[in-house]
């Protein structure tokens, strides 16, 4: 999906470049996933779950760039990769084709600067422009900053999925299921 890169001003006065992820980002994306999955318990996977090759990640990024129904954005601050947000269809069948799933992740060092808000706002705008009518996400129920971000952007909680995540230590986390009408 096409996206015109954009520079936004952050809470700390720095600027942040928002741009579409490209094939050339493949190696960086794999390192990013390993890093952010290791920084927090709020995400679905562990760093060792990464089995993607750079070539496979290039294919994924190329497919997203060529799609009219998907977008992955990258945020950069001072030339450093700060985070990613994306949307993709929930389903391609007629009865679910109006729904998309959205997500946003940031390196921990960039939390609280407003990058997540900017990324997600751009993704939601693009999803609406692509014809989606509803955005959906799952968030760990105890992740108060993320829940607050989603609520600020108009998402509402529609339920809970108990024991959605199980950690190596045997503990569990629930997901809040959240929806926003576009």
């Amino acid at each position: 999906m096409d996206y015109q890169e954009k520079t936004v001003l952050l809470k700390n006065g720095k600027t942040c470049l928002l741009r579409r992820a490209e094939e050339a980002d493949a190696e960086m994306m794999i390192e990013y996933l390993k890093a952010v999955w290791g920084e927090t318990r709020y995400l679905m996977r562990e760093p060792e779950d990464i089995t993607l090759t750079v070539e496979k990640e290039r294919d994924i990024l190329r497919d997203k760039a060529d799609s009219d129904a998907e977008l992955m954005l990258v945020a950069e601050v001072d030339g450093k990769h700060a985070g990613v947000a994306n949307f993709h269809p929930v389903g391609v069948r007629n009865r679910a084709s109006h729904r998309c799933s959205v997500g946003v992740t940031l390196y921990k060092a960039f939390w609280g600067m407003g990058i997540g808000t900017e990324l997600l706002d751009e993704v939601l705008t693009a999803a609406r422009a692509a014809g989606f009518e509803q955005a959906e996400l799952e968030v760990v129920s105890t992740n108060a900053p993320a829940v607050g971000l989603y609520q600020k952007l108009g998402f509402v909680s529609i339920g809970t999925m108990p024991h959605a995540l199980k950690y190596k230590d045997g503990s569990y986390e629930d997901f809040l299921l959240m929806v926003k009408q576009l």
Side-chain angles (χ1 to χ4, degrees), residues 161-176:
M161 181 179 297
H163 291 189
L165 297 181
K166 183 176 181 179
Y167 298 112
K168 292 176 184 178
D169 65 5
S171 64
Y172 296 91
E173 286 280 5
D174 298 345
F175 273 163
L176 287 181

Side-chain angles (χ1 to χ4, degrees), residues 62-109:
R62 182 182 322 107
D63 289 346
K64 287 184 183 305
D66 291 344
S67 173
D68 291 332
E70 295 185 64
L71 178 64
M72 179 175 287
L73 294 182
V74 172
E76 296 177 350
V77 178
D78 295 331
K80 296 179 183 167
H81 181 217
V84 171
N86 72 311
F87 75 84
H88 58 86
V90 169
V92 293
R93 304 280 183 231
N94 288 337
R95 292 185 179 181
S97 62
H98 65 291
R99 300 167 47 212
C100 68
S101 177
V102 300
V104 60
T105 57
L106 301 172
Y107 280 111
K108 201 171 192 176

Side-chain angles (χ1 to χ4, degrees), residues 113-125:
M113 295 180 183
I115 298 168
T117 301
E118 295 291 347
L119 275 169
L120 198 52
D121 191 51
E122 288 294 306
V123 162
L124 293 170
T125 298

